[in-house]
């Protein structure tokens, strides 16, 4: 069985890094150099040293167990690429909203997108050096998440940490889809 998952979040939170860390294949990346006009159009203040940006999507694949493969689609965060989201989200089981604990407000658009479309998601709080660690309940409160939305601390650079976030997403999405199915028959 193959499941489609999205990885979304604000600029420079580690979406491409997460997809690359967990992928068993060489990930497809659409990274381009940040240009002067791009730097003016995008808010790069939270990631001043970032020199590239995703201009379409990232793609990777990983296997969680016998017969269960995950196809990962990393979504671009810039407003000018939001038209891609509806296409990429077609058929997705769920999403990871990756968050930088120093800039939680940057993931509001992704949280809103998935909430409004009823797409199950988890928030992966990426560990950045020098960032204050935040408890999951603090992040859930700051993002005004629906009760039961998992918040998972992670390190997007670490394969096992990234896979743990994906496992939590698959479990959460499975529970949500089962509840919806039972609700529709009951």
């Amino acid at each position: 069985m193959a499941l489609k998952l999205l990885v979304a979040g604000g600029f420079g939170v580690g979406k491409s890094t997460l997809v690359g860390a967990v992928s068993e294949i060489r990930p497809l990346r659409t990274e381009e150099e940040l240009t002067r006009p791009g730097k003016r159009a995008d808010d790069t203040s939270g990631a001043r040293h970032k020199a590239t940006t995703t201009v379409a999507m990232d793609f990777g694949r990983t296997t969680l167990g016998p017969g269960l493969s995950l196809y990962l689609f990393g979504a671009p965060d810039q407003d000018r690429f939001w038209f891609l989201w509806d296409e990429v989200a077609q058929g997705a089981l769920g999403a990871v909203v990756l968050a930088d604990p120093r800039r939680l407000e940057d993931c509001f658009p992704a949280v809103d997108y998935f909430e409004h479309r009823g797409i199950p998601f988890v928030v992966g709080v990426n560990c950045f050096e020098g960032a204050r660690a935040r408890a999951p309940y603090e992040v859930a409160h700051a993002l005004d998440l629906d009760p039961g939305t998992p918040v998972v601390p992670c390190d997007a650079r670490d394969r096992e940490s990234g896979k743990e976030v994906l496992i939590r997403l698959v479990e959460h999405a499975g529970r949500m889809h089962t509840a919806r199915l039972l609700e529709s028959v009951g």
Side-chain angles (χ1 to χ4, degrees):
M1 178 176 10
L3 303 174
K4 180 180 184 179
L5 304 177
L6 306 178
V7 180
F11 183 77
V13 297
K15 299 177 297 290
S16 297
T17 301
L18 178 70
V19 170
V22 300
S23 184
E24 299 164 343
I25 61 171
R26 191 171 125 218
L28 167 70
R29 296 184 190 268
T30 58
E31 294 273 317
E32 291 295 331
E33 291 285 324
L34 272 169
T35 62
R36 187 169 292 137
K39 287 181 182 180
R40 285 193 303 267
D42 301 322
D43 181 9
T44 60
S45 60
R48 285 191 172 94
H49 301 293
K50 188 164 169 54
T52 61
T53 189
T54 300
V55 296
M57 67 176 184
D58 296 312
F59 174 78
R61 186 194 74 220
T62 192
T63 304
L64 286 186
L68 181 56
S69 293
L70 304 178
Y71 293 118
L72 308 172
F73 292 81
D77 62 280
Q78 300 92 329
D79 293 347
R80 65 183 179 277
F81 297 124
W82 274 72
F83 68 93
L84 293 170
W85 280 48
D86 287 335
E87 295 300 320
V88 174
Q90 286 283 347
L93 176 75
V96 173
V97 175
L98 204 55
D100 181 336
R102 302 166 296 189
R103 304 178 287 128
L104 289 176
E105 65 279 0
D106 289 357
C107 56
F108 281 134
V111 168
D112 288 344
Y113 181 88
F114 298 122
E115 282 182 346
H116 284 80
R117 285 160 182 80
I119 297 173
F121 68 95
V122 301
V123 175
V125 183
N126 196 5
C127 304
F128 282 91
E129 253 181 71
R132 179 177 79 81
R134 292 180 181 249
Y137 75 88
E138 287 181 282
V139 173
H141 178 72
L143 296 176
D144 193 26
L145 298 177
D146 290 336
T149 302
V151 176
V152 186
C154 68
D155 182 341
R157 302 166 297 182
D158 181 74
R159 179 180 180 79
E160 293 308 312
S161 181
K163 283 182 100 170
E164 180 59 33
V165 174
L166 298 176
I167 290 167
R168 292 283 300 276
L169 171 59
V170 170
E171 292 170 346
H172 176 63
R175 285 190 301 273
M176 286 191 67
H177 288 293
T178 300
R180 288 177 186 160
L181 181 63
L182 291 174
E183 193 175 281
S184 71
V185 254

